[in-house]
Amino acid sequence: MPTVPLRDRAAWQALESHRAELGEVRLRELFAADPGRGERLTAEAAGIYLDYSKNLITDETLRLLVRLAEESGLAGHRDAMFRGEPINVSEHRSVLHVALRMPRGGSLTVDGVDVVAQVHEVLDRMAGFARRVRSGDWKGHTGKRIRNVVNVGIGGSDLGPVMAYEALRHYTDRDLTFRFVSNVDATDFVEATRDLSADETLFIISSKTFGTLETLTNAHSARDWLVSRLGTQDAIAKHFVAVSTNAERVAEFGIDTANMFGFWDWVGGRYSMDSAIGLSTMIAIGPEQFHDLLAGFHEMDEHFRSAPLPENLPVLMGLLAVWYANFHGAQTVGVLPYEQYLKRFPAYLQQLTMESNGKHVTLGGDLVDYDTGAVYWGEPGTNGQHSFYQLIHQGTRLIPVDLIGFGKSLNPLGDHHDILSSNVFAQAQALAFGKSEDEVRAEGTAPDVVPHRVMQGNRPTNVLLAEKLTPYLLGCLVALYEHSVFTQGTIWGIDSFDQWGVELGKQLAAQIVPELTSSTEPDLSHDSSTNALIRRYRRLKG
Ligand code: F6P
């Protein structure tokens, strides 16, 4: 990693001057001056076409951003990740989600262990189990086949499974019902299970650590729910499996480790949907299609590893994110999929991007003097258009957005898909070019309304276009964002693979629980606000 602090790097300083020179560069002018721009500023890999021409950039911007990536040691850091070096410095761990999707027969040795062989051993066990559940061969305690699968997990042990299930619903076995319980709010568990028969229900308790309070609380409730309905603890063996790195805790909970699917500490929670954490996905879509998903991930990994930086999709997207965050002061990024099946994709990306790059110190522990990870958010189009797009079009903030579209619908119906897709292109066009005062006047608009109807344009977009949403394509898409996150984190010189910031809240909550449950008035020693809130809560709960 470079020793020169980010803001002192030559490319950073050149970008600062370049940004000042560019001033209020207009996309209208950039397109007018270069008729080939819309085809030139594009890149393609693994079935994803990226049009980044409607960004506030020139060729010089790109050249300088690539130089920044070079000066920041991006290629070296990427290669260190692929070699299994412990680039998660604060946890002294390798970061090897890329090994989860290496093809059988590949090899990656870390500390003398071939992790690819280990990965495929687990995948094979998962496949055997998934086939038994799908075929009805795996029977519940009363001899009935499993019809309902409930994944219990939170964060990376929930968001990946639920996003993948929704995204790939078209490919799932419709005879099986899938539910996902994550929140410690009992409503989540109660609503997810209220119409399920216990004798046909399989719980997958997914937790990397098997120590997460929410998941363990839900897992205990699930166990009580099952045992109370089937009348015996013996039922657990046929209705509970675990996905975890912690065999000891799994056994303590009462799940036979023969029914546990493992993974490793070099898989971060938010990078784990393609590990055993994807067991529910594999049961839903079957092992073959799960392997297609992995192949998509791997294809994008290979592209990230080998494509020259200026043609590298994740690198380009990561650099553009840095450009807006650090040189335009953008605080947020919208991700707007025009594909209903991707409705949980923005939520999934929130953990991936914000838990990874929401960091305030460098790898060396110094406070950063620049902004790091942006706020990611989004909803599927076209719904968002009738809700928050107004602010993107005419508000005062710069909000770069990614629009994701597909050539084919998985549910062709009349002209729905053409109408949907027309909106992808129309939104990108409207955001970029807006509507000038002259154009508004020329429409015969009343003079007092003219200013309200003017759209300044110059709102940047990436358009991602692919043929159709398949397991393979989903793998490519997730890996694209993973490596974009990596690119941003490398430039910022932060640890994108730890998440210490979530710990304090957990510790404080653990301290507060007994203060809420004790039958006698507790001695409170928090700040006056927290004390008052706890007292008020105790009165409210009666
Ligand atoms: O609290 C954050 C976090 O540690 C995430 O990083 C992780 O995905 C989630 O909790 C769940 O952790 P586990 O899989 O260990 O239950």
Side-chain angles (χ1 to χ4, degrees), residues 153-157 206-212 215 263 268-270 272 277 351 355 499 502-503 506:
I154 198 165
S157 301
S206 298
S207 175
K208 179 175 168 179
T209 53
F210 230 78
T212 304
T215 301
F263 61 116
R270 54 194 174 273
S272 67
I277 290 290
Q351 188 199 14
E355 205 171 69
Q499 58 284 319
V502 298
E503 294 306 320
K506 289 185 195 172

Side-chain angles (χ1 to χ4, degrees), residues 27 46 55 64 76 126 138 151 194 231 266 272 290 356 372 385 387 393 395 453 468 499 505 521:
L27 282 171
N55 279 288
L64 292 174
M126 288 166 63
W138 179 278
N151 186 78
R194 71 180 323 131
W266 41 259
S272 67
F290 192 83
S356 295
T372 59
Q385 291 174 205
S387 152
H393 281 291
R453 298 193 56 182
K468 68 174 181 181
Q499 58 284 319
E521 202 58 30

Side-chain angles (χ1 to χ4, degrees), residues 357-519:
N357 283 343
K359 305 292 160 65
H360 71 304
V361 295
T362 64
L363 290 168
D366 300 319
L367 273 181
V368 297
D369 54 359
Y370 41 83
D371 270 333
T372 59
V375 175
Y376 276 70
W377 56 277
E379 280 290 323
T382 58
N383 291 7
Q385 291 174 205
H386 300 273
S387 152
F388 52 79
Y389 277 42
Q390 166 64 32
L391 186 144
I392 314 178
H393 281 291
Q394 281 191 315
T396 53
R397 298 164 201 279
L398 181 80
I399 303 178
V401 298
D402 295 346
L403 301 161
I404 304 174
F406 293 90
K408 292 192 176 102
S409 168
L410 294 172
N411 295 298
L413 180 65
D415 51 5
H416 282 244
H417 194 65
D418 289 333
I419 294 173
L420 175 75
S421 305
S422 69
N423 280 278
V424 177
F425 310 130
Q427 289 299 324
Q429 190 180 345
L431 287 163
F433 306 116
K435 200 186 249 189
S436 69
E437 196 173 320
D438 287 348
E439 286 164 343
V440 175
R441 277 188 209 291
E443 286 173 346
T445 309
D448 58 327
V449 180
V450 169
H452 299 278
R453 298 193 56 182
V454 168
M455 297 177 58
Q456 295 164 322
N458 249 22
R459 270 65 172 165
T461 55
N462 287 317
V463 177
L464 297 162
L465 206 54
E467 187 188 349
K468 68 174 181 181
L469 181 59
T470 60
Y472 177 88
L473 195 279
L474 183 69
C476 300
L477 194 61
V478 174
L480 169 60
Y481 279 93
E482 284 178 351
H483 299 318
S484 166
V485 164
F486 182 92
T487 300
Q488 296 166 52
T490 303
I491 306 270
W492 291 322
I494 56 179
D495 190 335
S496 300
F497 302 101
D498 61 11
Q499 58 284 319
W500 296 106
V502 298
E503 294 306 320
L504 177 59
K506 289 185 195 172
Q507 281 164 21
L508 294 175
Q511 197 181 319
I512 291 172
V513 168
E515 296 170 346
L516 304 185
T517 52
S518 82
S519 53

Side-chain angles (χ1 to χ4, degrees), residues 15 57 61-70 72 74 309-327 462 483-485 487-488 491-492:
L15 276 161
I57 55 169
T61 322
L62 277 174
R63 197 182 65 75
L64 292 174
L65 285 169
V66 168
R67 222 175 90 195
L68 181 64
E70 287 162 358
S72 305
L74 176 62
L309 300 187
E311 294 158 31
N312 198 308
L313 260 70
V315 172
L316 286 166
M317 286 182 60
L319 290 175
L320 287 165
V322 169
W323 175 237
Y324 292 118
N326 300 119
F327 298 92
N462 287 317
H483 299 318
S484 166
V485 164
T487 300
Q488 296 166 52
I491 306 270
W492 291 322

Side-chain angles (χ1 to χ4, degrees), residues 139-144 146 199 230 232-236 238-239:
K139 301 274 192 287
H141 181 68
T142 63
K144 286 196 179 170
I146 296 298
D199 53 358
L230 298 187
T232 166
Q233 298 273 347
D234 296 348
I236 293 172
K238 291 289 175 196
H239 293 269

